[in-house]
Amino acid sequence: IAAAGDPINFSNTTIGDGVFLWNFGDGTFESAVSPSHTFIDTYIDSTVNVLLVALNSSGCIDSAMQSLSILEPFNNR
């Protein structure tokens, strides 16, 4: 679960060096090892599938996907 507008730090636990591609399920992509991403208000009350694809120097490819619910931020006024 994540709040729209709050940055989320994603952790890549892949062992070894390689090339990484993150697909955040909102039309944006990143190639950093462990990026930070913020979902905009458009995605409130929706679920996105965050996909990480890893390619190592030997040409082996693997992927992992996680569903993430995006909620309205809690506003404590």
Side-chain angles (χ1 to χ4, degrees):
I1 297 175
D6 289 345
I8 302 165
N9 295 318
F10 290 89
S11 296
N12 179 347
T13 59
T14 303
I15 297 171
D17 292 332
V19 176
F20 307 104
L21 177 64
W22 293 84
N23 177 342
F24 295 106
D26 63 356
T28 61
F29 301 86
E30 176 66 59
S31 61
V33 174
S34 294
S36 178
H37 184 72
T38 303
F39 292 92
I40 60 174
D41 291 349
T42 305
Y43 290 91
I44 290 175
D45 294 330
S46 64
T47 300
V48 294
N49 292 315
V50 178
L51 173 68
L52 169 62
V53 178
L55 174 68
N56 71 13
S57 59
S58 299
C60 295
I61 191 167
D62 199 4
S63 63
M65 183 181 292
Q66 178 69 49
S67 295
L68 188 60
S69 297
I70 310 300
L71 302 178
E72 189 169 346
F74 178 72
N75 192 351
N76 191 10
R77 291 183 194 194

